[in-house]
Amino acid sequence: MALSSRGLLVPLCQACRHMWRKVPNKYTPSCCWRKLQQPQRFCSSSASSRLGCHSGDTEHYSTQIKREPHTPVLLKEVLQYLDIQPGQIVLDLTFGGGGHSKAILKSAPGVKLVAADRDPAAFHLAQQLAEEYPGHVKAVLGRFSELKDLLFKLGLGNGSVDAALLDAGCSSMQMDNADRGFSLSKDGPLDMRMDGERYPGMPCAADAVAALDQRALASILAAYGEERRAGKIATAIARARRIQPIVRTQQLASIVAGAFPDSALYSRRDRLQRPSHIATKTFQALRVFVNDELNELVSGLDAAQSVLKPGGRLCVLTFHSLEDRITKRFLRGQDLSAPPRRNVRQWARDQLQEEEEEDEETERGRESCHWVSLEKKVVVPGEEEVQENPRARSAKLRVAIRR
């Protein structure tokens, strides 16, 4: 299942196609740059090669593996809703730092775990866990869109898994490594790819910033970052890149900050009422775009629906409204390719109101022919967990049983 160009991604597909006809030849592939079956066909001399984004050194993996794994979000709630029984087969679609997976293995004797992730660094951690639990863990390297085939090769076809967990967020392992380019707080190459080592020709965020025209940039920031000032930020980026290439994270953050008046720089606050950097939504938008995260999320949900047994349980953790909205619509059996009721800018403006309205829908509206929701409302972390782990502040958990 893929998101139609008429649906959630309305402004982007046409804008990006238009952009590719205008950019210089060195950035022009013969097909859409996000068609990753042929990733090597994009810009061999692009910003990713200038930045050294292609590196797949083992030292790169070991540096990340030595870091303290991220604290798993809503761990008690995930274990409660998965309700894992002895000997069951459990699928962790996003292994990350392995916090949830380790707890799953300890929750009941004889559990068989399939630990999947698209990030090679996370895959290496999963391999280490497989060595700790011989015969109980299978490590899988691949994207959600590749998952059905990978699971089939393991002998896991339709209706063969008892429970599944999908954590759609970035791991601390990714955010804390400056070389990955995800973090605003640490300067590094403007990369943001989750699996660039597997696809050396895959464009990184610096490529997107260099190649996308101003209109396409604004559409991406508005749709994927729900950024109200997308037009002004896109204008600032277009002006800055005429002077010199934008290839560093803090370079981009400074350019985005320059698009705002001084009074607005510290007006944004997170759930803990701490100042939130003005470029946070811009970084989110570029990361989602570069990694095709929303379409991959739909593929992951579809894969979980296929492999789960009737009565199997699914937990989905999301960290921003776009992910949560897709998950909610999927579990309710709604057509994800249908045009949204509101345009992107109205979504950004009325986000909180929309969530309140949808949470008040009837129980009939929350069920589909494939899923039964276990909770009427989305599960969020308590204040104590948010204080102990600030990165949990935006987490939302949706849980359902496969019919």
Side-chain angles (χ1 to χ4, degrees):
M1 183 189 307
L3 298 182
S4 165
S5 60
R6 297 188 306 106
L8 189 65
L9 309 185
V10 169
L12 300 186
C13 294
Q14 294 183 358
C16 292
R17 291 194 194 102
H18 177 71
M19 173 277 300
W20 284 121
R21 290 195 291 270
K22 290 190 173 185
V23 294
N25 290 335
K26 70 175 181 177
Y27 287 114
T28 308
S30 57
C31 62
C32 177
W33 75 299
R34 297 171 71 195
K35 187 175 181 180
L36 297 176
Q37 290 86 343
Q38 296 174 313
Q40 72 279 3
R41 297 180 67 174
F42 181 83
C43 56
S44 59
S45 60
S46 64
S48 56
S49 60
R50 296 196 304 271
L51 293 170
C53 296
H54 299 170
S55 174
D57 298 338
T58 55
E59 181 181 352
H60 175 69
Y61 296 131
S62 61
T63 300
Q64 295 188 61
I65 290 172
K66 289 177 183 178
R67 294 177 181 271
E68 187 69 22
H70 75 293
T71 304
V73 175
L74 288 167
L75 179 60
K76 293 180 181 179
E77 291 81 355
V78 166
L79 294 177
Q80 172 189 339
Y81 288 114
L82 287 179
D83 190 27
I84 299 165
Q85 303 300 315
Q88 285 189 337
I89 300 174
V90 182
L91 172 61
D92 186 348
L93 286 86
T94 40
F95 181 81
H100 287 108
S101 288
K102 293 175 183 177
I104 288 171
L105 289 168
K106 295 176 182 178
S107 65
V111 172
K112 300 293 181 65
L113 176 74
V114 179
D117 206 291
R118 68 185 289 179
D119 189 333
F123 174 68
H124 279 255
L125 285 176
Q127 288 180 314
Q128 291 182 1
L129 187 64
E131 294 175 359
E132 295 178 25
Y133 291 85
H136 289 271
V137 178
K138 281 284 186 182
V140 175
L141 176 63
R143 302 178 176 187
F144 293 150
S145 54
E146 304 166 328
L147 200 54
K148 285 185 181 180
D149 291 338
L150 293 171
L151 293 177
F152 183 77
K153 291 177 181 178
L154 293 177
L156 299 175
N158 293 345
S160 58
V161 173
D162 297 288
L165 168 65
L166 193 161
D167 182 345
C170 284
S171 69
S172 296
M173 181 175 60
Q174 293 168 331
M175 296 296 294
D176 291 341
N177 188 343
D179 292 337
R180 300 297 297 271
F182 291 99
S183 177
L184 272 164
S185 60
K186 300 176 181 180
D187 188 40
L190 190 59
D191 191 339
M192 298 192 189
R193 297 172 301 173
M194 292 183 176
D195 51 1
E197 293 84 1
R198 295 184 64 212
Y199 299 95
M202 175 185 175
C204 63
D207 293 312
V209 169
L212 291 166
D213 67 20
Q214 186 172 325
R215 182 179 176 183
L217 269 173
S219 295
I220 287 167
L221 299 183
Y224 290 156
E226 298 185 304
E227 174 58 72
R228 298 184 184 184
R229 297 176 182 253
K232 292 184 178 180
I233 294 172
T235 300
I237 291 173
R239 289 174 179 171
R241 70 188 180 189
R242 294 192 196 108
I243 301 172
Q244 64 178 0
I246 303 171
V247 296
R248 307 289 295 182
T249 55
Q250 293 195 349
Q251 181 187 6
L252 176 60
S254 298
I255 292 167
V256 174
F260 290 80
D262 292 343
S263 59
L265 293 181
Y266 299 100
S267 60
R268 294 185 178 180
R269 296 184 176 273
D270 62 21
R271 183 177 169 183
L272 299 179
Q273 294 303 306
R274 302 177 306 179
S276 178
H277 197 287
I278 209 74
T280 299
K281 293 183 177 181
T282 297
F283 272 59
Q284 172 187 305
L286 288 172
R287 190 200 80 219
V288 170
F289 181 67
V290 165
N291 295 289
D292 199 16
E293 290 183 27
L294 300 188
N295 284 303
E296 286 293 325
L297 173 59
V298 175
S299 296
L301 292 169
D302 188 46
Q305 181 171 288
S306 298
V307 301
L308 278 173
K309 298 177 179 178
R313 297 189 170 214
L314 173 66
C315 287
V316 183
L317 278 166
T318 60
F319 290 83
H320 57 76
S321 60
L322 296 176
E323 295 171 339
D324 180 61
R325 189 176 293 117
I326 288 174
T327 303
K328 178 165 45 181
R329 294 177 65 192
F330 183 90
L331 294 178
R332 293 177 182 175
Q334 297 177 11
D335 182 6
L336 296 181
S337 65
R341 292 176 299 173
R342 299 173 179 170
N343 65 40
V344 173
R345 295 187 183 279
Q346 287 172 324
W347 267 355
R349 191 182 310 117
D350 302 329
Q351 176 184 337
L352 293 177
Q353 179 181 349
E354 182 186 74
E355 290 177 355
E356 291 173 0
E357 290 173 355
E358 291 181 345
D359 282 337
E360 292 174 359
E361 291 180 359
T362 62
E363 183 68 27
R364 180 177 58 82
R366 277 191 294 270
E367 294 189 1
S368 73
C369 60
H370 297 294
W371 300 99
V372 178
S373 295
L374 287 175
E375 288 291 340
K376 295 182 179 180
K377 292 187 177 182
V378 66
V379 180
V380 297
E383 291 300 324
E384 182 178 348
E385 180 174 357
V386 172
Q387 292 292 337
E388 293 178 357
N389 180 20
R391 287 179 176 169
R393 63 189 179 276
S394 58
K396 293 181 179 180
L397 173 64
R398 294 192 179 272
V399 290
I401 294 178
R402 181 76 164 89
R403 285 184 183 273

